[in-house]
């Protein structure tokens, strides 16, 4: 395949068509990020949910809660290990796919990644201590050593979101006569206008997702007739965390949409399919944008978009045509952004309904004993079982809306994606893409298989509870797990047999 | 020293830390690969699993620091390296993924065939990843790339790169064997102490031979590097590496495994720092100096602040991890402990 870009970066702007390597580079980045983001809710939020369960176990002297906390800590470690791997891939891809971005802007927005890397280091150390510490450490010390985990997770999120929000609303620099950034102000580059809204919306989304996913696992168990203490608290604790945060997310979601309206009007226009700048703008629920600005399909609600954006029907909403076609998402991209945004909102609303059902049921039964307070409806648990998957889909959609909505800019209004892309031949990139897809399918497939296997093993252990002492705890099966017993020396080596090193 | 100079030093130390910590890790993978069949290699593999489990993630994170310091502190260097060394770095990252996943997922797999597959992935990529990373470093050290260089085989398929790649693999195998020998002593497996001590000596001999071979390759292929290594601070550090090599060899031959890990780390650390010092004042000889590549001054200052804060936070955590680990405070809790209700009283 030909490589049209051996020109200096600026000259690309003059080319009508995008460089051939742009598509594979974007697809590869999209694929690796979309995969990595599935692991993020568990990395950010599972530590806190586990610690809540751990606290409950210590406070009420409840062995079932402690058992659940231990098992969740094993899952936490396994997915963290895979997350480290996919995260490393992403930092390589910044260089392999977008050298232009890092070369010009690395010193302006890179510091967030520095914070993230150290936070990550700390999290790796603390997870190891927490996972290993169950037996020997005094209960209180062990719990206290686990307590900083959620803070390190938030610190990591802070770093990543600082970098991403900077790409959306870049500031903290001045361009010199050659177009290079100078006079960098690190504080301004971290705390950009989109940082606050993005950070809180993302953090709460992570906690909700982790809560719904974990609760969903036990909802399936309940649907299969396992209505015991283990399944009830395994469901109730994470679901309550998610339920408490769901209304908060409604407020935060509304705030971030309004921030986008003010700070990134073109992205907002793509999210809401607004073609011409106007007042009294209708809201489209789904539908498709065509190159001539018409929208087909979907539900049209007159005036609503203006009302949502500024609380009044005469609010003026900027349209896509307010900037040249080369500076905005094309109709297909706008449709993708719009659908991603709408799916996220629809899922959020359905989760809200589910949470209302839960709150109503629990409130109505508040005077009964704890064991009878949970809803009994099978439909509720069917919904709860789907809520985990749905919230992962919502996270993906939110990320698509953020990233595709910024097109064609990699640094909003300062650098196009096409200027940042590597000059490596597109055939090489497609090959790499193929390799990465195969490798990721293998890894995520293995992760899933291992999780399912752990679940089966635990179920068998529970069935045999009290009758036999299991040879291994949940941590044995994880990458951080405790040391297995020393196998006997192989006869061929002539070495003498050793005593088992573990107590 | 200028701020950029200090950041360059931090970068060099991070590379050295990755070479030592990550290198030990890759070395463990190397010995996993050569441990033989499922039955014969059972005990060495058990020790490798045993030794790597708590630290392998942390060792991997060093690499992320190196990348972050590169793109934040020296964006042009980052762009140049990743543009010109595309293929070796792409292969290294594929290796990193397979390695991490192979190690992490091998443990929960119980069937032999499955363990073999994951184990093979882990072991083979433990060999390829350091080779390609070493080859990329060789390309930089020999000055074959410059800002604007596009990806080409010459950047990483040349005598210096080949030599650096081999040296990296040998160095990791050496470090791995030394640390595994110490771990075998700590965990009461005397047969494995000798097993890995012999391998450490073998790897050290191979590294020494490569060092002699360097005398034939480096002076003509990478004159700037050679000049730096034969005078001033570069020479001192090179001599430190040689002294550590001799000391390690003596200790290994006499069976003082415990202390050999410090001198072994000293060899690799001194060699990496010697390379960095020999390149002064260039990040890429002789086309990109530290000052030319430096990012915005305020960013460099903040990068140092972040580093100091992080060292203050991470340092104690790491000490805690290793202290708990070596004092046998980190052990598993069985299911039955929990069910009997007294599991977390700390009676152990």
């Amino acid at each position: 395949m030909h490589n049209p870009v051996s020109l200096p970066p600026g000259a690309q702007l003059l080319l009508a068509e995008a460089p051939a390597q742009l598509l594979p580079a974007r697809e590869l980045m999209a694929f690796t990020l979309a995969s990595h983001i599935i692991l993020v809710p568990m990395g950010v939020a599972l530590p806190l949910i586990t610690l809540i369960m751990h606290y409950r176990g210590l406070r009420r002297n409840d062995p079932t809660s402690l058992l659940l906390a231990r098992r969740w800590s094993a899952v936490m470690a396994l997915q963290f290990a895979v997350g480290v791997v996919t995260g490393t891939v992403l930092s390589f891809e910044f260089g392999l796919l977008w050298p232009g971005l890092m070369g010009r802007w690395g010193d302006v927005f890179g510091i967030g990644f520095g914070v993230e890397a150290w936070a990550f280091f700390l999290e790796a150390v603390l997870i190891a201590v927490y996972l290993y510490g169950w037996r020997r450490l005094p209960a209180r010390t062990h719990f206290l050593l686990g307590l900083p985990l959620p803070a390190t997770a938030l610190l990591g999120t802070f770093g990543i979101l600082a970098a991403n929000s900077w790409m959306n609303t870049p500031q903290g620099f001045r361009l010199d006569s050659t177009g290079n950034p100078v006079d960098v102000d690190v504080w301004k580059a971290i705390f950009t206008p989109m940082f606050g809204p993005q950070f809180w919306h993302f953090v709460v989304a992570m906690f909700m997702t982790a809560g719904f996913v974990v609760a969903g696992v036990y909802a399936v168990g309940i649907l299969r007739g396992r209505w015991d203490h283990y399944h009830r608290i395994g469901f109730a604790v994470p679901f309550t965390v998610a339920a408490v945060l769901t209304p908060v997310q409604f407020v935060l979601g509304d705030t971030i949409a309004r921030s986008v309206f003010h700070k990134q009007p073109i992205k907002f226009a793509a999210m809401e399919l607004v073609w011409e700048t106007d007042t009294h703008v209708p809201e489209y629920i789904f539908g498709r944008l065509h190159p001539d600005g018409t929208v087909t399909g979907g539900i049209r609600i007159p005036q609503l978009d203006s009302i949502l954006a500024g609380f009044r029907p005469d609010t003026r909403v900027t349209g896509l045509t307010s900037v040249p076609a080369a500076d905005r998402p094309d109709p297909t991209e706008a449709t993708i952004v719009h659908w991603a945004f709408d799916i996220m909102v629809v899922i959020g609303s359905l989760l809200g309904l589910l949470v209302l059902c839960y709150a109503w049921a629990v409130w109505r039964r508040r005077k009964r004993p704890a064991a009878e307070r949970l809803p009994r409806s099978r439909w509720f648990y069917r919904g709860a079982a789907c809520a985990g998957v749905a919230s992962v889909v919502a996270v993906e959609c939110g990320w698509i809306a953020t990233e595709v909505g910024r097109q064609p800019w990699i640094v909003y209004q300062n650098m196009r994606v096409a200027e940042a892309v590597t000059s490596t031949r597109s055939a090489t990139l497609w090959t790499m893409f193929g390799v990465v897809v195969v490798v990721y399918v293998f890894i995520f497939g293995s992760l899933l298989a291992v999780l399912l296997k752990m679940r089966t093993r635990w179920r068998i252990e529970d069935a045999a509870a009290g009758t036999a002492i299991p040879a291994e705890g949940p941590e044995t099966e994880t990458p951080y797990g405790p040391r297995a017993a020393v196998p006997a020396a192989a006869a061929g080596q002539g070495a003498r047999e050793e005593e088992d090193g573990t107590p | 020293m200028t701020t950029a100079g200090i950041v360059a030093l931090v970068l060099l130390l991070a590379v050295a830390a990755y070479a030592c910590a990550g290198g030990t890790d890759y070395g463990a993978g190397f010995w996993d690969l050569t441990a033989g069949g499922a039955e014969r290699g059972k005990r060495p593999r058990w020790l490798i699993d045993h030794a790597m489990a708590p630290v392998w993630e942390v060792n991997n994170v060093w690499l992320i620091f190196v990348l972050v310091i590169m793109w934040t502190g020296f964006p042009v260097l980052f762009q140049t390296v990743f543009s010109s060394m595309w293929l070796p770095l792409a292969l290294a990252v594929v290796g990193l993924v397979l390695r991490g996943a192979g190690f992490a997922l091998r443990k929960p797999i119980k069937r032999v065939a499955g363990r073999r597959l994951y184990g093979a992935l882990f072991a083979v990529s433990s060999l390829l990843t350091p080779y390609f990373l070493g080859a990329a470093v060789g390309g930089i050290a020999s000055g074959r790339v410059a800002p604007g260089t596009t990806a080409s085989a010459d950047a990483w398929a040349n005598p210096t790169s080949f030599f650096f790649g081999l040296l990296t693999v040998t160095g990791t195998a050496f470090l791995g064997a030394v640390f595994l020998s110490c771990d075998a002593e700590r965990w009461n497996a005397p047969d494995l102490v000798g097993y890995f001590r012999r391998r450490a000596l073998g790897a050290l001999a191979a590294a020494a031979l490569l060092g002699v071979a360097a005398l034939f390759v480096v002076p003509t292929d990478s004159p700037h590097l050679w000049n730096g290594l034969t005078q001033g601070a570069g020479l001192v550090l090179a001599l430190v590496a040689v002294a550590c090599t001799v000391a390690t060899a003596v200790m290994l031959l006499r069976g003082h495994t415990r202390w050999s890990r410090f001198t072994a780390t000293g060899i690799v650390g001194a060699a990496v720092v010697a390379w960095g010092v020999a390149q002064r004042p260039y990040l890429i000889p002789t086309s990109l100096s530290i000052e030319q590549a430096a990012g915005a001054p305020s960013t460099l200052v903040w990068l140092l602040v972040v580093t100091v804060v992080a060292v203050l936070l991470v340092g104690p955590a790491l000490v805690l991890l290793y202290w708990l680990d070596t004092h046998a405070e980190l052990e598993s809790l069985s299911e039955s402990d929990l069910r009997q209700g007294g599991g977390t009283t700390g009676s152990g």
Side-chain angles (χ1 to χ4, degrees):
Chain A
M1 227 178 263
H2 276 295
N3 170 12
V5 181
S6 45
L7 297 160
Q12 284 174 20
L13 291 177
L14 304 172
L15 294 172
E17 57 183 298
Q21 55 272 63
L22 189 59
L23 185 64
R26 281 177 67 182
E27 297 298 317
L28 179 52
M29 193 74 195
F31 176 77
T32 42
L33 261 170
S35 312
H36 181 70
I37 212 171
I38 296 174
L39 301 168
V40 176
M42 290 299 168
V44 171
L46 195 56
L48 181 72
I49 295 176
T50 305
L51 284 167
I52 292 173
M53 187 58 97
H54 189 167
Y55 179 76
R56 190 182 187 281
L58 292 179
R59 191 68 195 267
R60 306 189 180 185
N61 200 15
D62 175 12
T64 311
S65 296
L66 290 177
L67 183 65
L68 277 164
R70 281 185 65 210
R71 288 180 173 177
W72 292 352
S73 68
V75 173
M76 187 165 91
L78 184 65
Q79 74 79 35
F80 188 79
V82 178
V84 168
V85 170
T86 54
T88 311
V89 172
L90 290 177
S91 36
F92 267 82
E93 282 182 349
F94 287 139
L96 292 174
L97 302 179
W98 316 109
L101 170 71
M102 305 318 284
R104 189 182 296 176
W105 305 100
D107 56 340
V108 185
F109 81 116
I111 203 94
F113 292 109
V115 175
E116 197 273 344
W118 287 114
F120 206 52
F121 200 126
L122 210 53
E123 196 174 351
V125 172
L126 289 170
I127 281 189
V129 171
Y130 186 65
L131 198 80
Y132 276 95
W134 282 101
R135 186 184 198 123
R136 286 297 186 88
L137 291 178
R140 210 178 124 83
T141 316
H142 177 232
F143 178 73
L144 288 177
L145 283 175
L147 268 190
L149 266 175
T152 59
L154 284 187
L155 200 62
T157 314
F158 170 90
I160 293 293
L161 269 290
N164 186 266
S165 63
W166 181 86
M167 288 160 77
N168 280 310
T169 44
Q171 64 170 31
F173 61 91
R174 188 174 62 76
L175 292 180
D176 67 6
S177 55
T178 58
N180 276 319
V182 289
D183 293 344
V184 174
D185 181 335
V186 171
W187 279 105
K188 274 192 172 170
I190 289 179
F191 297 100
T192 59
M194 283 308 288
F195 174 70
Q198 270 194 264
F199 178 74
W200 292 113
H201 185 58
F202 183 81
V203 166
V204 173
M206 293 303 106
F207 279 95
M208 278 174 63
T209 306
F212 282 130
V213 168
V214 177
V217 172
Y218 297 92
V220 173
I222 290 172
L223 281 173
R224 290 185 182 164
R226 300 194 186 91
W227 184 259
D228 49 16
H229 180 56
Y230 178 85
H231 279 83
R232 281 200 313 270
I233 58 169
F235 174 81
V237 170
F239 195 87
T240 307
V241 171
V244 168
L245 288 172
T246 303
V248 177
Q249 187 69 318
F250 270 95
V251 178
L252 290 170
D254 184 62
T255 312
I256 190 171
R258 225 176 297 285
S259 305
V260 172
F261 169 66
H262 289 294
K263 308 295 178 192
Q264 292 182 280
I266 302 302
K267 183 189 273 187
F268 188 79
M271 271 160 52
E272 301 284 25
L273 298 188
V274 184
W275 188 250
E276 300 278 357
T277 305
D278 204 354
T279 57
H280 304 277
V281 177
E283 171 85 20
Y284 288 98
I285 298 171
F286 297 106
R288 183 171 166 212
L289 181 69
H290 296 276
D292 60 358
T294 56
V295 178
T296 54
I299 305 162
R300 184 178 187 274
I301 305 170
Q303 313 262 9
L304 184 64
D305 193 42
S306 285
I307 296 173
L308 287 175
F311 306 112
R312 292 158 58 92
D314 59 356
T315 305
R316 199 175 170 81
V317 181
T318 308
L320 286 167
T321 52
S322 63
V323 293
D327 289 354
R328 65 187 190 222
D330 64 33
T332 313
E333 286 168 342
T335 306
I336 292 172
V337 175
H338 177 65
W339 273 69
F341 179 68
D342 281 6
I343 292 173
M344 177 173 65
V345 173
V346 167
I347 290 176
S349 310
L350 291 176
L351 291 176
L353 278 178
L354 188 71
V355 165
L356 275 180
C357 295
Y358 179 69
W360 169 246
V362 173
W363 187 77
R364 231 178 29 168
R365 297 154 192 258
R366 67 194 181 280
K367 301 221 168 103
R368 300 201 198 169
E372 292 169 27
R373 268 180 227 154
L374 286 179
R376 298 309 289 257
S377 154
R378 287 183 71 77
W379 278 107
F380 171 77
Y381 289 102
R382 282 183 192 129
C386 297
V389 181
S391 43
V392 172
V393 172
V395 168
E396 294 277 0
C397 285
W399 164 72
I400 290 171
T402 310
E403 299 303 301
V404 181
R406 198 179 55 230
Q407 299 301 321
W409 304 103
I410 197 163
V411 179
Y412 195 52
Q413 292 177 341
N414 274 279
M415 181 185 252
R416 283 160 207 276
V417 180
E419 289 174 81
V421 77
T422 175
S423 60
T424 299
R425 295 189 318 150
S426 62
T428 315
L429 291 177
W430 282 118
T431 312
M432 176 83 175
F433 185 27
V435 171
V436 168
V437 169
V438 170
V439 168
Y440 271 44
V441 166
F442 171 71
I443 290 175
F444 278 80
S446 305
L447 176 66
L448 194 66
V450 167
L451 287 175
L452 291 176
K453 197 169 260 181
M454 279 159 81
R455 183 197 63 170
T456 312
R457 219 172 278 161
W458 292 343
R459 194 176 293 158
I460 294 167
E461 279 167 14
D462 287 345
T467 57
I469 294 170
E472 293 156 336
E475 302 92 341
T476 320
E477 297 137 9
T478 70
Y480 293 100
R483 285 79 186 242
V486 191
Q493 289 173 359
R496 70 189 173 89
E497 208 162 303
E498 269 311 306
E499 288 252 323
D500 185 339
T502 52
Chain B
M1 201 184 259
T2 59
T3 321
I6 300 173
V7 175
L9 185 64
V10 172
L11 176 62
L12 184 61
L13 292 177
V15 174
Y18 182 58
C20 292
T24 308
D25 226 29
Y26 286 118
F30 180 89
W31 299 117
D32 192 296
L33 182 67
T34 54
E39 201 44 51
R40 198 158 64 88
K42 200 172 183 184
R43 272 177 63 79
R45 287 206 178 92
W46 159 79
L47 184 72
I48 289 163
D49 265 355
H50 216 77
M52 273 177 68
V55 288
W56 75 278
E57 217 107 277
V58 170
N59 291 345
N60 211 344
V61 180
W62 282 113
L63 179 61
I64 298 179
F65 294 149
V66 172
L67 297 180
V68 169
I69 297 171
M70 257 168 93
W71 77 54
T72 311
F74 307 103
V76 182
L77 171 71
F78 184 77
Q79 182 174 12
T80 306
V81 170
F82 273 85
S83 302
S84 55
M85 304 284 181
W86 203 91
L87 196 57
L89 291 173
L91 291 172
V93 76
V94 171
L96 275 169
V97 177
L98 289 176
R99 185 188 138 76
F103 181 72
L105 298 171
R106 172 166 70 165
K107 208 168 180 188
I109 303 283
K110 289 280 184 274
R111 263 187 301 185
V112 175
R115 287 184 71 94
R116 267 203 192 124
L117 172 67
Y118 287 95
L121 281 177
F122 160 66
V124 171
S125 41
S126 293
L127 196 66
L128 294 182
T129 309
Y131 177 81
F132 286 119
L133 290 176
V137 168
I140 296 168
S142 63
R144 279 190 166 76
V145 293
T149 305
T150 48
S152 74
D154 178 58
W156 59 280
N158 57 68
T160 307
S161 284
F162 184 63
F163 165 73
F164 265 61
L166 282 185
L167 194 62
T168 311
V169 172
T170 322
T172 59
F174 164 67
L175 274 178
V178 169
F179 273 78
L180 285 168
S181 184
C182 299
D183 290 333
E185 197 170 271
R186 237 172 76 207
W187 286 312
N188 216 6
D191 57 315
L192 290 177
V193 175
Y195 177 93
F196 281 113
R197 202 179 64 208
R198 287 192 296 278
R199 278 156 180 75
L201 277 167
L204 190 62
L209 281 179
L210 278 171
V212 175
L215 299 175
F216 299 96
V217 177
V218 177
T220 48
D221 203 50
S222 317
H224 181 86
L225 182 70
W226 182 251
N227 277 340
L229 284 173
T230 47
Q231 55 186 313
L235 181 63
V236 172
L237 285 160
L239 290 176
V240 170
V242 172
C244 284
T245 309
V246 174
T248 314
V250 170
M251 274 190 264
L252 285 174
L253 285 171
R254 292 194 173 175
H256 297 303
T257 327
R258 181 173 297 185
W259 297 103
S260 64
R261 66 165 88 186
F262 295 101
T263 50
T265 314
I267 300 174
V268 175
V272 171
V273 178
W275 155 61
V277 168
Q279 286 205 132
R280 277 181 315 170
Y282 296 105
L283 286 171
I284 303 176
T286 49
S287 58
L288 187 68
S289 73
I290 294 173
E291 298 304 322
Q292 283 166 345
S298 60
T299 305
L300 294 181
V301 172
W302 276 104
L303 192 56
L304 290 177
V305 171
V306 169
T307 308
V308 170
V309 171
V311 168
L312 293 178
L313 280 176
V314 175
L318 260 183
V319 171
L320 176 77
L321 175 66
Y322 286 121
W323 189 88
L324 290 173
D325 192 33
T326 49
H327 286 72
E329 296 290 344
L330 300 176
E331 287 296 342
S332 67
L333 183 67
S334 72
E335 304 269 324
S336 52
D337 282 327
L338 275 173
R339 290 218 181 73
Q340 282 151 16
T344 52
T345 53
S347 57

